[in-house]
């Protein structure tokens, strides 16, 4: 079968056009350093690029969250340490007040000191965190501790969990009731409030009030230490995760993550 001259030239022209197109595409890849200029160039590789982009975006969020979680937990840990110190001072003063040789005036003076400690504890309980929210209060911004009809009450703290890795969160919230209530009737602030009133007004039952307060302040001291240990454990977990992120890098050395450097459409290589 004979092939006409025009058909021959048409076929050659189409081949040259296709080759020119491929050459231009390769030139673009070389000049830009990118293998993929359109998702249709390589659907599988494009999907891989999208997955790496998603992971990179997640990594940025997780790193930011780890910084925030670490800051909030460190602040809670420090404040709990200050609360513990105040409770210990209150316990020492209560032990001093139990001395039967003290006069009513001396006990009233101890009551004034305990009132200052009580007020300091309320101030610590209503501390604000790095976001300007109550450190031990509700997420809505309500104070953790308020006085109602002569008694202290505690706002309901919302659980505040922060994502720090795929499928992993850390609770950075601590409710004031968890900090100041060692039991159903062991409410530190109200125990101190009752004790202050008894020491300043005197009366035949002041000794019983002092003894009851001593028992409950011992329990309060243990309770604050337990809460602080829980916060410290969460803080350590965040620190470990943060160190893990900081060690991650692309490469083939020990402990390094090896992955294709195709992110953002780069030419496919293995680092």
């Amino acid at each position: 079968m004979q092939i006409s001259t025009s058909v021959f030239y048409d076929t050659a022209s189409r081949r040259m056009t296709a080759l020119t197109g491929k050459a231009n595409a390769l030139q673009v890849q070389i000049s830009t350093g990118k293998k993929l200029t359109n998702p249709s160039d390589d659907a599988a590789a494009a999907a891989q690029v999208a997955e790496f982009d998603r992971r990179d975006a997640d990594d940025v969020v997780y790193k930011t969250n780890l910084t925030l979680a670490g800051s909030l937990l460190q602040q809670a840990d420090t404040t709990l340490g200050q609360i513990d110190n105040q409770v210990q001072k209150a316990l020492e003063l209560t032990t001093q007040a139990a001395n039967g040789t003290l006069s009513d005036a001396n006990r009233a003076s101890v009551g004034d000191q305990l009132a200052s400690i009580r007020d300091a504890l309320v101030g610590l309980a209503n501390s604000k965190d790095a976001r300007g929210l109550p450190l031990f209060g509700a997420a809505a911004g309500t104070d953790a501790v308020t006085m109602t009809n002569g008694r202290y009450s505690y706002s309901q703290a919302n659980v505040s969990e922060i994502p720090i890795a795929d499928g992993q969160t850390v609770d950075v919230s601590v409710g004031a009731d968890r900090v100041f209530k060692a039991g159903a009737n062991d409410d530190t602030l109200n125990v101190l409030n009752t004790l202050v009133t008894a020491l300043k007004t005197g009366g035949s039952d002041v000794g019983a009030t002092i003894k009851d307060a001593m028992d409950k302040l011992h329990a309060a001291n243990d309770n604050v230490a337990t809460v602080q240990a829980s916060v410290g454990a969460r803080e350590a977990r965040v620190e470990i995760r943060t160190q893990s992120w900081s060690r991650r890098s692309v490469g083939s050395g020990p402990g390094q993550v090896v992955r294709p450097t195709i992110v953002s459409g780069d030419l496919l290589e293995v680092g």
Side-chain angles (χ1 to χ4, degrees), residues 14-36:
R14 284 196 297 273
R15 288 179 178 175
M16 286 297 297
T17 299
L19 289 172
T20 300
K22 289 182 178 180
N24 289 337
L26 288 172
Q27 186 60 45
V28 170
Q29 292 177 10
I30 292 171
S31 62
T32 62
K34 298 181 183 297
K35 181 181 179 181
L36 306 178

Side-chain angles (χ1 to χ4, degrees), residues 37-54:
T37 55
N38 297 293
S40 58
D41 293 341
D42 188 331
Q48 192 176 21
V49 169
E51 176 62 17
F52 283 137
D53 285 343
R54 183 194 68 78

Side-chain angles (χ1 to χ4, degrees), residues 198-221:
L199 290 174
K200 296 181 74 171
T201 60
S204 58
D205 60 346
V206 66
T209 302
I210 293 172
K211 183 180 184 306
D212 181 66
M214 285 181 63
D215 293 339
K216 290 178 178 178
L217 288 174
H218 274 295
N221 196 26

Side-chain angles (χ1 to χ4, degrees), residues 46-119:
Q48 192 176 21
V49 169
E51 176 62 17
F52 283 137
D53 285 343
R54 183 194 68 78
R55 291 182 183 178
D56 286 345
D58 286 348
D59 285 355
V60 171
V61 173
Y62 291 145
K63 289 176 183 178
T64 300
N65 286 353
L66 282 166
T67 300
L68 174 61
S71 174
L72 295 176
L73 289 169
Q74 183 179 42
Q75 186 180 358
D77 190 14
T78 299
T79 306
L80 284 167
Q82 295 171 336
I83 290 172
D84 187 52
N85 288 337
Q86 293 295 327
V87 172
Q88 288 183 29
K89 290 179 181 178
L91 186 54
E92 291 169 3
L93 286 170
T94 304
T95 302
Q96 180 182 331
N99 188 329
T101 63
L102 289 183
S103 65
D104 289 344
N106 291 144
R107 285 201 176 95
S109 177
V110 172
D112 288 335
Q113 295 176 68
L114 285 169
S116 296
I117 290 175
R118 175 201 61 199
D119 295 343

Side-chain angles (χ1 to χ4, degrees), residues 152-176:
Y152 290 103
S153 59
Y154 307 95
S155 64
Q156 182 64 41
N158 293 340
V159 175
S160 180
E161 293 189 342
I162 296 179
I164 57 173
D166 287 344
Q168 295 185 40
T169 61
V170 62
D171 184 4
V172 297
S173 58
V174 182

